Amino acid sequence: MSLKKNKKIGHKVTLTDVGELAGVSAMTVSKVLRGTGRIPEETRKRVRLAAQELGYVTNQLASLLAGASSNMVGVLIPTARDVVYSDILSAINSELRPAGLRTFIGESYFDSDVDFEQVSSFLSIRPAALILHGGITRKAETLKLLKKQHCPVIQIWDVENTDFDISIGPSHVEAGRLMAEHFLSLGLERVGYVGAEMELDICAAVRANSFERTLNAHGVQLIRSVAEDLPRQAEGGEILTRRLLDHHPTIQGIHFLNDAMALGGMRVSFERGISVPDQLKIGGFNATSYVHSVRTRLTTISMSYQNIGRKAAQGVIALYSGEQVPQIQVEPITLERGNST
Amino acid sequence: MSLKKNKKIGHKVTLTDVGELAGVSAMTVSKVLRGTGRIPEETRKRVRLAAQELGYVTNQLASLLAGASSNMVGVLIPTARDVVYSDILSAINSELRPAGLRTFIGESYFDSDVDFEQVSSFLSIRPAALILHGGITRKAETLKLLKKQHCPVIQIWDVENTDFDISIGPSHVEAGRLMAEHFLSLGLERVGYVGAEMELDICAAVRANSFERTLNAHGVQLIRSVAEDLPRQAEGGEILTRRLLDHHPTIQGIHFLNDAMALGGMRVSFERGISVPDQLKIGGFNATSYVHSVRTRLTTISMSYQNIGRKAAQGVIALYSGEQVPQIQVEPITLERGNST
């Protein structure tokens, strides 16, 4: 994961060459390619086309042949079907593209063997950088492979396990604590937790443990309703909420692994005539679109996924520019209170 | 878009070599790498690791240097933030990965200049194939570039504009017709349509026009509330529904560009005390998770996004195997009736 300092992206063609063709200054070219500054879209397009025409950024194959690293950035996420990652991915693309970098994406499904395969595959085309999701137990082999590389490795989502050039994400310890403190402030004494695939997703486990620890410190016990084989979607939330309520009908509040599962919990409450939030408080995590249903607004933990993606991409660019970048970047989170608690 | 027939994926190492190392038959290796057959996960892992160890699929750089095309498949989508595309993408990955192919993803934002840039960038690394979203007006330059290539080009989402090796998607004409017929069967006479970015998204425009044509054929006029600059999310749906109801308070049913916008429409109805479906019927499109909110089930058009992605990936593999593949593959759609109509 060591880094070639001051290694420039791009090859023989200079910013000045591109600027001359586009009829703008080299500074403007630089801004457009870095996606900074307030530059009219018309100018941006002209610069991008000039850069393309001169092969400033696109001659990928030539650069591979020259033994340089490519302009490709490998991005590994657990699954594109998770709205959190598709938002982060979209932000990564929107930063990297103007800088002449291209992403290629892989999915790990939180499976450490697939993770190893994907990382190997990324490295086989000599990427300019890797952006890897955290929250997974990586195999020793994968870490060894990463350590041998000369490209920056940036981790997103996990800031607790930080053996990378940059780690960017929320503090999952704080997230669990925030929701516990909210439940405690409402005077709840019988609290449940609903989640799935907790053994694979380290970050979810960290949040749940922090939630439990904070409750315990105030004398409140937690009852978990967790399954490894259910989807982390509304359907999984429904099944697990039913189980929890069947065995612990006097429960006063449930924290869910994510908003999708919390939506399932709300459906079960509605079905059973349990009034939310009067009889049962419900707390989610993610602040996704599920939050604002037709008449229910879920209490949840919110953060900017766009920011996480943007900072990961900016980290790549900054590292290549030889800029100093903080190794750990904790993205702030807030508890957004809806009408479900 | 012509195709090198019978071109095999993979290089010097044979399936038999991989099978010997993994202790299974060449047939089993083939099944694992193609992701077909009922093979225990344990065996699949062993085969994948053997293939990797022998460099059956991963030596990307070597194959580039040898002048062969790479094992990379470029996938272009409008945006990863659209749940439709993240589902398709996930299915593509899950098919291509076991076949030793890797995807890299780009986003066009329905911008034809960005589309051109992305296609150029994909082509610069000599992809094994391209999977491109339809529904966009591609520039003549882009089409020229694609025609010169020797890799298969597969289009997803649009089966009306079919100048590609394979086109896979729903019929948007049928989708618009289905919803119109549903509204007509309910006896509606004052009908509205809410959408955004219709000028960019050809497929959405095709659906809306087909919806309107079918209504008109039965003597029903359509009132459109459309904006080019609003998000295609619940927020956009709220704003446009308010506008529509302000000017046409007697409207009896609204068809929305997608479920997210329809959710916004439902919120506005709730806010204004307009009963859904008694006073106002609401129809969406996509059958996404928005559909099943806590107590409302949206009437919507549903199809399998997984199937679309899977078939696109299978198309890539089939074309390389020299198999005959139908050039146009129309994915069936159904109207799912909820309690919003």
Side-chain angles (χ1 to χ4, degrees):
Chain A
M1 283 170 262
S2 78
L3 182 65
K4 290 183 199 161
K5 291 279 179 209
N6 293 314
K7 193 172 163 311
K8 291 278 180 231
I9 293 163
H11 317 291
K12 296 135 224 161
V13 181
T14 66
L15 290 174
T16 312
D17 299 333
V18 177
E20 272 171 18
L21 183 63
V24 299
S25 69
M27 178 64 88
T28 303
V29 174
S30 164
K31 281 183 184 163
V32 170
L33 297 183
R34 279 164 160 273
T36 59
R38 297 186 142 273
I39 294 161
E41 188 50 34
E42 211 34 65
T43 311
R44 301 170 75 87
K45 281 190 185 165
R46 218 162 61 231
V47 170
R48 288 200 296 254
L49 286 175
Q52 194 146 31
E53 196 164 326
L54 294 176
Y56 183 69
V57 290
T58 57
N59 201 347
Q60 168 67 9
L61 192 64
S63 85
L64 277 172
L65 292 171
S69 66
S70 69
N71 71 343
M72 301 292 284
V73 175
V75 183
L76 188 63
I77 60 179
T79 164
R81 303 187 69 191
D82 185 329
V83 66
V84 166
Y85 284 101
S86 59
D87 266 20
I88 291 177
L89 181 64
S90 192
I92 289 173
N93 275 337
S94 70
E95 283 291 313
L96 291 184
R97 207 177 50 76
L101 291 164
R102 296 290 172 259
T103 53
F104 62 121
I105 182 190
E107 294 174 299
S108 77
Y109 316 102
F110 285 116
D111 177 326
S112 61
D113 287 330
V114 178
D115 180 63
F116 172 72
E117 276 178 40
Q118 287 287 1
V119 167
S120 314
S121 170
F122 282 168
L123 292 174
S124 72
I125 68 155
R126 299 197 191 175
L130 291 182
I131 299 177
L132 307 179
H133 74 91
I136 181 178
T137 313
R138 300 213 133 85
K139 295 166 84 166
E141 275 169 280
T142 315
L143 294 171
K144 214 174 84 187
L145 210 55
L146 287 170
K147 287 228 167 66
K148 278 197 302 194
Q149 299 309 313
H150 296 284
C151 79
V153 179
I154 290 165
Q155 176 184 244
I156 47 176
W157 199 239
D158 187 356
V159 290
E160 263 97 33
N161 174 20
T162 57
D163 191 18
F164 299 89
D165 291 310
I166 307 178
S167 290
I168 302 166
S171 161
H172 296 276
V173 171
E174 193 194 342
R177 188 177 52 71
L178 263 185
M179 190 58 78
E181 283 171 356
H182 177 57
F183 276 25
L184 290 166
S185 77
L186 300 170
L188 306 193
E189 288 172 350
R190 292 180 300 283
V191 175
Y193 178 86
V194 164
E197 295 180 348
M198 307 280 295
E199 284 173 17
L200 297 173
D201 179 351
I202 299 174
C203 292
V206 166
R207 288 197 302 275
N209 293 341
S210 166
F211 181 67
E212 182 162 32
R213 261 199 319 277
T214 312
L215 291 175
N216 291 352
H218 291 78
V220 174
Q221 294 305 309
L222 182 68
I223 299 150
R224 293 188 189 223
S225 178
V226 166
E228 288 308 305
D229 56 346
L230 285 176
R232 310 172 107 183
Q233 298 298 330
E235 294 62 37
E238 287 182 43
I239 296 168
L240 295 168
T241 303
R242 282 196 197 101
R243 280 190 205 164
L244 189 62
L245 293 175
D246 286 345
H247 292 92
H248 304 276
T250 64
I251 217 134
Q252 299 166 310
I254 309 177
H255 179 27
F256 288 80
L257 181 134
N258 62 24
D259 291 348
M261 297 192 89
L263 183 72
M266 294 231 257
R267 280 189 207 157
V268 170
S269 314
F270 177 63
E271 224 175 67
R272 299 196 171 183
I274 299 170
S275 155
V276 174
D278 302 337
Q279 295 167 274
L280 184 68
K281 322 276 184 212
I282 286 184
F285 176 80
N286 277 168
T288 54
S289 356
Y290 294 106
V291 174
H292 300 289
S293 180
V294 179
R295 40 190 112 188
T296 346
R297 283 177 303 112
L298 196 60
T299 295
T300 190
I301 305 279
S302 117
M303 76 196 80
S304 167
Y305 298 116
Q306 298 276 326
N307 273 357
I308 293 174
R310 212 174 290 128
K311 285 181 184 170
Q314 287 165 351
V316 169
I317 296 167
L319 287 170
Y320 271 96
S321 316
E323 285 171 29
Q324 287 294 323
V325 190
Q327 206 204 333
I328 299 174
Q329 300 180 27
V330 181
E331 185 60 22
I333 56 175
T334 49
L335 186 126
E336 252 181 44
R337 182 149 182 204
N339 57 8
S340 73
T341 61
Chain B
M1 282 169 261
S2 78
L3 184 65
K4 291 183 204 162
K5 292 278 177 207
N6 294 313
K7 193 172 162 311
K8 292 279 181 232
I9 292 162
H11 317 291
K12 294 136 225 159
V13 180
T14 67
L15 289 174
T16 313
D17 299 332
V18 177
E20 272 171 18
L21 183 64
V24 298
S25 69
M27 179 65 89
T28 302
V29 174
S30 164
K31 283 183 182 162
V32 170
L33 297 183
R34 279 164 160 277
T36 60
R38 296 188 142 273
I39 293 161
E41 189 49 34
E42 211 33 67
T43 310
R44 302 170 75 87
K45 281 190 186 166
R46 218 164 59 230
V47 170
R48 288 200 298 256
L49 287 174
Q52 194 145 36
E53 195 164 328
L54 294 176
Y56 185 67
V57 290
T58 57
N59 202 346
Q60 169 66 7
L61 191 65
S63 84
L64 277 172
L65 292 171
S69 68
S70 69
N71 72 343
M72 301 291 285
V73 175
V75 182
L76 188 63
I77 59 179
T79 163
R81 301 186 70 192
D82 186 330
V83 65
V84 166
Y85 284 101
S86 59
D87 265 18
I88 291 177
L89 180 64
S90 192
I92 289 173
N93 275 339
S94 69
E95 282 292 312
L96 291 184
R97 207 178 51 76
L101 291 165
R102 296 290 171 259
T103 55
F104 63 121
I105 183 187
E107 294 173 300
S108 76
Y109 316 103
F110 285 115
D111 178 326
S112 60
D113 288 330
V114 177
D115 179 62
F116 172 73
E117 276 178 39
Q118 286 287 1
V119 168
S120 316
S121 170
F122 281 168
L123 293 174
S124 73
I125 69 153
R126 300 199 190 173
L130 292 181
I131 299 176
L132 306 179
H133 74 91
I136 181 177
T137 314
R138 301 215 133 84
K139 297 167 82 168
E141 274 169 279
T142 315
L143 294 172
K144 215 174 84 187
L145 210 54
L146 286 171
K147 287 225 168 67
K148 278 196 303 192
Q149 298 310 313
H150 297 284
C151 80
V153 179
I154 289 164
Q155 176 184 243
I156 47 176
W157 200 238
D158 187 356
V159 288
E160 263 96 34
N161 174 18
T162 57
D163 191 18
F164 300 90
D165 291 309
I166 307 178
S167 290
I168 302 165
S171 160
H172 296 277
V173 172
E174 193 195 343
R177 189 177 53 72
L178 263 186
M179 190 59 77
E181 285 172 354
H182 178 58
F183 276 25
L184 289 166
S185 77
L186 299 170
L188 305 194
E189 288 171 350
R190 293 181 298 283
V191 175
Y193 178 86
V194 163
E197 295 179 350
M198 306 281 296
E199 283 173 18
L200 297 173
D201 180 350
I202 299 175
C203 292
V206 166
R207 289 197 302 274
N209 292 342
S210 167
F211 181 67
E212 183 162 32
R213 262 199 320 277
T214 312
L215 291 175
N216 291 352
H218 292 78
V220 174
Q221 295 304 308
L222 182 69
I223 300 150
R224 292 187 189 224
S225 178
V226 165
E228 287 309 304
D229 56 346
L230 284 176
R232 312 172 106 185
Q233 298 297 331
E235 295 63 38
E238 287 182 43
I239 296 167
L240 293 167
T241 303
R242 283 197 196 99
R243 281 190 206 163
L244 188 61
L245 293 174
D246 286 346
H247 293 91
H248 304 276
T250 65
I251 217 134
Q252 299 165 309
I254 309 176
H255 179 27
F256 288 80
L257 182 134
N258 62 24
D259 291 348
M261 297 192 91
L263 184 73
M266 294 232 256
R267 278 187 210 158
V268 171
S269 313
F270 178 62
E271 222 175 68
R272 297 196 173 183
I274 299 169
S275 156
V276 174
D278 302 337
Q279 295 168 276
L280 184 68
K281 322 275 184 213
I282 286 185
F285 177 79
N286 277 167
T288 55
S289 357
Y290 293 106
V291 173
H292 301 290
S293 178
V294 178
R295 42 191 110 186
T296 347
R297 282 177 304 112
L298 196 59
T299 295
T300 190
I301 305 279
S302 115
M303 77 195 79
S304 167
Y305 299 116
Q306 297 275 326
N307 273 356
I308 294 174
R310 212 173 292 129
K311 286 180 182 169
Q314 286 165 351
V316 170
I317 295 167
L319 287 170
Y320 271 96
S321 316
E323 286 172 27
Q324 288 294 325
V325 191
Q327 205 203 334
I328 299 175
Q329 300 180 26
V330 181
E331 184 60 22
I333 56 175
T334 49
L335 186 126
E336 251 180 46
R337 182 149 182 204
N339 58 8
S340 73
T341 60

